[in-house]
Amino acid sequence: MATIITKIRLKNFKRFRDYTLLPNERMNILVGDNEVGKSSVLEAIDIVTSGNVRKVESIGVDKLINVDAVKEFGEGERTFENLPKMSIDLYLSGEF
């Protein structure tokens, strides 16, 4: 039995403020216009599955975090508690 991604949740990652994708168990094809986030979804999966913090450092958090979340922080109360949080959650099933 293979490991399957059952759910992908992106928060403040690139163009996605809060986005959940429920992939098909067998095959998925990402289709859409340019700049809608197809490559971003694949990049998110790659970042998590590589488990390498240096990958994030080499890309730069400034290129990964949602611009609107940063703007909202800059216009609001700029405290540590209000810093925008970015997360990529992969939900898996199967054998590891």
Side-chain angles (χ1 to χ4, degrees):
M1 177 181 222
T3 302
I4 298 169
I5 298 172
T6 59
K7 180 174 163 182
I8 303 166
R9 182 152 188 221
L10 306 174
K11 292 190 80 168
N12 290 326
F13 180 76
K14 292 202 164 192
R15 70 175 356 264
F16 302 105
R17 285 302 298 259
D18 190 353
Y19 180 72
T20 300
L21 176 66
L22 300 171
N24 182 288
E25 187 175 304
R26 296 192 49 139
M27 182 186 303
N28 294 274
I29 300 171
L30 301 177
V31 178
D33 291 335
N34 291 340
E35 302 299 319
V36 296
K38 301 178 301 290
S39 295
S40 295
V41 169
L42 297 176
E43 185 174 24
I45 294 168
D46 182 51
I47 287 170
V48 172
T49 57
S50 74
N52 188 344
V53 72
R54 286 186 176 65
K55 182 173 284 213
V56 172
E57 292 170 347
S58 70
I59 297 168
V61 173
D62 60 316
K63 291 183 174 67
L64 296 176
I65 195 160
N66 181 274
V67 174
D68 292 330
V70 173
K71 183 179 178 188
E72 186 178 285
F73 172 76
E75 293 172 350
E77 186 178 346
R78 293 183 292 183
T79 63
F80 181 79
E81 292 79 22
N82 292 332
L83 279 170
K85 295 168 185 70
M86 177 181 65
S87 65
I88 304 167
D89 300 318
L90 290 186
Y91 296 80
L92 307 173
S93 71
E95 295 182 19
F96 301 99

